[in-house]
PDB file of all heavy atoms in Angstrom:
ATOM      1  N   SER A 318    -177.928  14.078-105.937  1.00  0.00           N
ATOM      2  CA  SER A 318    -177.846  15.046-107.020  1.00  0.00           C
ATOM      3  C   SER A 318    -178.675  14.564-108.220  1.00  0.00           C
ATOM      4  O   SER A 318    -178.581  13.393-108.611  1.00  0.00           O
ATOM      5  CB  SER A 318    -176.388  15.321-107.413  1.00  0.00           C
ATOM      6  OG  SER A 318    -176.330  16.259-108.451  1.00  0.00           O
ATOM      7  N   ASP A 319    -179.423  15.459-108.815  1.00  0.00           N
ATOM      8  CA  ASP A 319    -180.161  15.126-110.045  1.00  0.00           C
ATOM      9  C   ASP A 319    -179.309  15.461-111.243  1.00  0.00           C
ATOM     10  O   ASP A 319    -178.384  16.252-111.226  1.00  0.00           O
ATOM     11  CB  ASP A 319    -181.458  15.961-110.097  1.00  0.00           C
ATOM     12  CG  ASP A 319    -182.430  15.623-108.961  1.00  0.00           C
ATOM     13  OD1 ASP A 319    -182.302  14.509-108.409  1.00  0.00           O
ATOM     14  OD2 ASP A 319    -183.287  16.437-108.654  1.00  0.00           O
ATOM     15  N   TYR A 320    -179.659  14.816-112.352  1.00  0.00           N
ATOM     16  CA  TYR A 320    -179.059  15.140-113.671  1.00  0.00           C
ATOM     17  C   TYR A 320    -177.552  14.885-113.678  1.00  0.00           C
ATOM     18  O   TYR A 320    -176.810  15.689-114.246  1.00  0.00           O
ATOM     19  CB  TYR A 320    -179.359  16.606-114.073  1.00  0.00           C
ATOM     20  CG  TYR A 320    -180.773  16.985-114.001  1.00  0.00           C
ATOM     21  CD1 TYR A 320    -181.206  17.941-113.069  1.00  0.00           C
ATOM     22  CD2 TYR A 320    -181.724  16.407-114.830  1.00  0.00           C
ATOM     23  CE1 TYR A 320    -182.516  18.333-112.992  1.00  0.00           C
ATOM     24  CE2 TYR A 320    -183.047  16.772-114.770  1.00  0.00           C
ATOM     25  CZ  TYR A 320    -183.444  17.730-113.821  1.00  0.00           C
ATOM     26  OH  TYR A 320    -184.772  18.096-113.731  1.00  0.00           O
ATOM     27  N   TYR A 321    -177.099  13.867-113.040  1.00  0.00           N
ATOM     28  CA  TYR A 321    -175.641  13.608-112.943  1.00  0.00           C
ATOM     29  C   TYR A 321    -175.291  12.311-113.565  1.00  0.00           C
ATOM     30  O   TYR A 321    -175.779  11.260-113.180  1.00  0.00           O
ATOM     31  CB  TYR A 321    -175.206  13.667-111.465  1.00  0.00           C
ATOM     32  CG  TYR A 321    -173.717  13.516-111.238  1.00  0.00           C
ATOM     33  CD1 TYR A 321    -172.799  13.893-112.209  1.00  0.00           C
ATOM     34  CD2 TYR A 321    -173.229  13.045-110.042  1.00  0.00           C
ATOM     35  CE1 TYR A 321    -171.467  13.784-111.991  1.00  0.00           C
ATOM     36  CE2 TYR A 321    -171.862  12.922-109.811  1.00  0.00           C
ATOM     37  CZ  TYR A 321    -171.016  13.301-110.775  1.00  0.00           C
ATOM     38  OH  TYR A 321    -169.633  13.186-110.620  1.00  0.00           O
ATOM     39  N   ASP A 322    -174.390  12.351-114.567  1.00  0.00           N
ATOM     40  CA  ASP A 322    -173.864  11.138-115.172  1.00  0.00           C
ATOM     41  C   ASP A 322    -172.560  10.815-114.449  1.00  0.00           C
ATOM     42  O   ASP A 322    -171.551  11.467-114.567  1.00  0.00           O
ATOM     43  CB  ASP A 322    -173.558  11.402-116.656  1.00  0.00           C
ATOM     44  CG  ASP A 322    -173.351  10.099-117.445  1.00  0.00           C
ATOM     45  OD1 ASP A 322    -174.314   9.340-117.526  1.00  0.00           O
ATOM     46  OD2 ASP A 322    -172.252   9.874-117.915  1.00  0.00           O
ATOM     47  N   LEU A 323    -172.618   9.757-113.632  1.00  0.00           N
ATOM     48  CA  LEU A 323    -171.496   9.431-112.792  1.00  0.00           C
ATOM     49  C   LEU A 323    -170.284   8.918-113.572  1.00  0.00           C
ATOM     50  O   LEU A 323    -170.463   8.281-114.643  1.00  0.00           O
ATOM     51  CB  LEU A 323    -171.918   8.282-111.813  1.00  0.00           C
ATOM     52  CG  LEU A 323    -172.972   8.749-110.756  1.00  0.00           C
ATOM     53  CD1 LEU A 323    -173.740   7.579-110.201  1.00  0.00           C
ATOM     54  CD2 LEU A 323    -172.279   9.516-109.653  1.00  0.00           C
ATOM     55  N   PRO A 324    -169.049   9.175-113.115  1.00  0.00           N
ATOM     56  CA  PRO A 324    -167.900   8.722-113.873  1.00  0.00           C
ATOM     57  C   PRO A 324    -167.926   7.241-114.046  1.00  0.00           C
ATOM     58  O   PRO A 324    -168.225   6.429-113.133  1.00  0.00           O
ATOM     59  CB  PRO A 324    -166.723   9.171-112.932  1.00  0.00           C
ATOM     60  CG  PRO A 324    -167.274  10.311-112.155  1.00  0.00           C
ATOM     61  CD  PRO A 324    -168.716  10.003-111.957  1.00  0.00           C
TER      62      PRO A 324
END
Side-chain angles (χ1 to χ4, degrees):
S318 180
D319 295 340
Y320 309 114
Y321 184 25
D322 195 65
L323 292 158

